[in-house]
């Protein structure tokens, strides 16, 4: 089977060093295996999506030397997510839930900051349908996936190795989408990876713990499970995921400051063990040097663009 990978930016802000390092690995992995790449704009997160961010991300990626073979926009694909949701509902595997985050939090025995919340199943078997839930709550319910007691999912990540999650214990019935018709990240990513023929998902390891839920949905819909390759994130000096408070690492700002794409790619390549510090290299020139083996297992902390 020939390799199909994907780049899946969310237009919630400007493209920065963190996104680009992951995309660089995804691009090199696909191209070094002679594979195809799809570009999928994940623009379903309405309150957080920024106008113009999708076009800007594409422009920045092209400037850096990225290319791809097909382009998709999730907001144009809602009919597919709706169909998948209807199929899960028909199988009794999806139900509407009106619990607030606070309701779910207060049901935890020991909530930990930043951890995924365990859902106690309050709205399981509670409503005949979405409209009834909406009428009761007076706001938009979310859709949850019904997880069987004891459900555990394990997979072998190409980069990180074996990962196992007791989904029933850890998450319970997890959310599928906040949209009436199922247009939300978790369901959409599963539908799209299958529809686009993606054979391997390369993405940041902040999504590792979200993968078992995606595998459960794949199985429920009779879709294949792609390979997974979760790579470490870029973090700031405080060890937290790269963000605005760590200073300006937007690609557009480097470009305005006169830095070349080869300088940016060279610095990121050095962080993956494919180049010396200070080397300037184009993305395509890295193809013969690419290997997953030299990428450090720890998050990458850039110390400036010369780092
Ligand atoms: N669009 C997501 C993000 O930018 C990535 C989703 C995925 O790779 O599955 O965080």
């Amino acid at each position: 089977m020939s390799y199909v990978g994907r780049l899946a930016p969310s237009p919630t802000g400007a493209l920065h060093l963190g996104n680009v390092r992951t995309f660089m690995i995804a691009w090199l992995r696909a191209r070094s295996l002679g594979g195809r790449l799809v570009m999928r704009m994940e623009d379903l997160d309405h309150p957080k999506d920024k106008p113009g961010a999708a076009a800007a991300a594409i422009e920045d990626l092209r400037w850096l030397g990225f290319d791809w073979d097909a382009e998709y926009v999730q907001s144009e694909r809602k009919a597919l997510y709706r169909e998948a949701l209807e199929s899960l509902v028909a199988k009794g595997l999806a139900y509407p839930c009106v619990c607030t985050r606070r309701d779910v939090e207060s049901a935890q025995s020991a909530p930990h900051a930043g951890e995924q919340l365990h859902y106690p199943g309050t709205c399981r078997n509670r409503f005949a349908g979405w409209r009834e839930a909406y009428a009761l709550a007076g706001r938009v319910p979310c859709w949850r996936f019904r997880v069987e007691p004891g459900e555990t999912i394990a997979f072998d990540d190409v980069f990180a190795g074996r990962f196992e999650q007791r989904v029933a214990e850890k998450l319970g019935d997890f959310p599928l989408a906040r949209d009436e018709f199922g247009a939300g990240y978790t369901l959409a990513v599963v539908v799209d990876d299958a529809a686009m023929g993606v054979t391997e998902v390369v993405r940041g390891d902040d999504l590792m713990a979200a993968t078992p839920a995606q595998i459960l949905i794949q199985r429920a819909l009779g879709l294949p499970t792609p390979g997974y390759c979760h790579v470490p994130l870029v973090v700031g000096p405080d060890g937290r995921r790269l963000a605005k408070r760590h200073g300006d690492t937007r690609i557009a700002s480097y470009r305005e400051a006169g830095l070349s794409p080869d300088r940016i790619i060279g610095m990121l390549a050095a962080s993956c063990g494919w180049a010396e510090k200070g080397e300037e290299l184009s993305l395509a020139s890295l193809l013969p040097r690419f290997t997953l083996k030299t990428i450090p297992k720890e998050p990458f902390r850039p110390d400036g663009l010369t780092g």
Side-chain angles (χ1 to χ4, degrees):
M1 189 174 45
S2 61
Y3 187 103
V4 181
R6 37 72 149 200
L7 307 173
S10 294
T12 50
L15 201 75
H16 57 72
L17 281 186
N19 318 123
V20 171
R21 187 172 186 261
T22 303
F23 291 149
M24 174 182 76
I25 299 169
W27 187 92
L28 288 165
R29 172 90 172 150
R31 295 305 192 206
S32 68
L33 294 169
R36 297 179 67 243
L37 262 170
V38 303
M39 152 64 67
R40 179 168 81 223
M41 195 50 70
E42 303 208 319
D43 61 343
L44 295 176
D45 198 357
H46 297 300
K48 287 200 212 141
D49 287 348
K50 306 262 181 326
I58 287 190
E59 197 187 322
D60 288 346
L61 285 171
R62 290 207 188 281
W63 178 75
L64 286 166
F66 286 85
D67 66 356
W68 44 87
D69 306 292
E71 213 167 294
Y72 302 93
V73 178
Q74 284 193 324
S75 56
E76 294 168 1
R77 301 171 54 80
K78 291 185 178 177
L80 289 167
Y81 314 139
R82 181 175 185 166
E83 207 179 292
L85 176 69
E86 279 167 4
S87 147
L88 292 175
V89 172
K91 292 179 171 146
L93 291 174
Y95 64 84
C97 163
V98 298
C99 296
T100 60
R101 188 175 171 89
R102 186 178 293 182
D103 294 337
V104 182
E105 266 165 10
S106 60
Q108 309 284 299
S109 46
H112 299 284
E115 271 209 4
Q116 288 164 295
L117 291 175
H118 179 269
Y119 184 65
T122 320
C123 291
R124 242 189 194 215
N125 311 322
R126 187 169 170 198
F127 303 108
W130 193 90
R131 303 223 158 263
E132 190 189 317
Y134 180 78
L136 180 96
R139 60 188 161 70
V140 177
C142 77
W143 286 102
R144 286 188 183 272
F145 184 88
R146 191 181 293 263
V147 178
E148 291 305 319
E151 187 75 80
T152 298
I153 293 283
F155 64 97
D156 291 304
D157 190 272
V158 173
F159 184 81
R162 187 104 179 139
F163 183 80
E164 188 177 291
Q165 187 182 69
R166 297 179 180 190
V167 186
E169 240 171 70
K170 179 98 183 145
L171 306 182
D173 295 346
F174 56 81
L176 283 166
R178 289 214 160 265
D179 174 275
E180 177 176 359
F181 301 115
Y185 168 70
T186 306
L187 186 55
V189 77
V190 169
V191 168
D192 280 350
D193 283 338
M196 295 165 193
V198 170
T199 60
E200 187 179 88
V201 171
V202 178
R203 62 186 174 191
D205 63 9
D206 54 331
L207 287 166
M208 182 77 114
T211 306
Q214 295 177 13
I215 294 176
L216 276 177
I217 306 168
Q218 287 154 6
R219 291 184 184 170
L221 292 170
L223 301 173
T225 292
Y228 287 98
C229 176
H230 287 92
V231 296
L233 295 181
V234 179
V235 296
D238 56 0
R240 293 170 66 189
R241 185 193 179 137
L242 201 63
K244 270 193 196 135
R245 66 175 171 279
H246 298 124
D248 190 356
T249 66
R250 288 174 302 170
I251 302 309
S253 307
Y254 293 134
R255 183 169 161 182
E256 276 155 34
L259 258 71
S260 68
D262 292 7
R263 175 107 184 267
I264 299 169
I265 294 292
M267 190 273 286
L268 292 173
S271 83
C272 294
W274 310 323
E276 297 299 324
K277 278 191 177 186
E279 239 184 299
E280 300 192 8
L281 289 150
S282 71
L283 187 58
S285 73
L286 285 172
L287 277 169
R289 303 186 185 194
F290 171 75
T291 168
L292 290 173
K293 292 202 180 86
T294 54
I295 303 175
K297 299 278 180 199
E298 306 75 44
F300 169 51
R301 282 179 209 228
D303 52 5
L305 250 184
T306 47

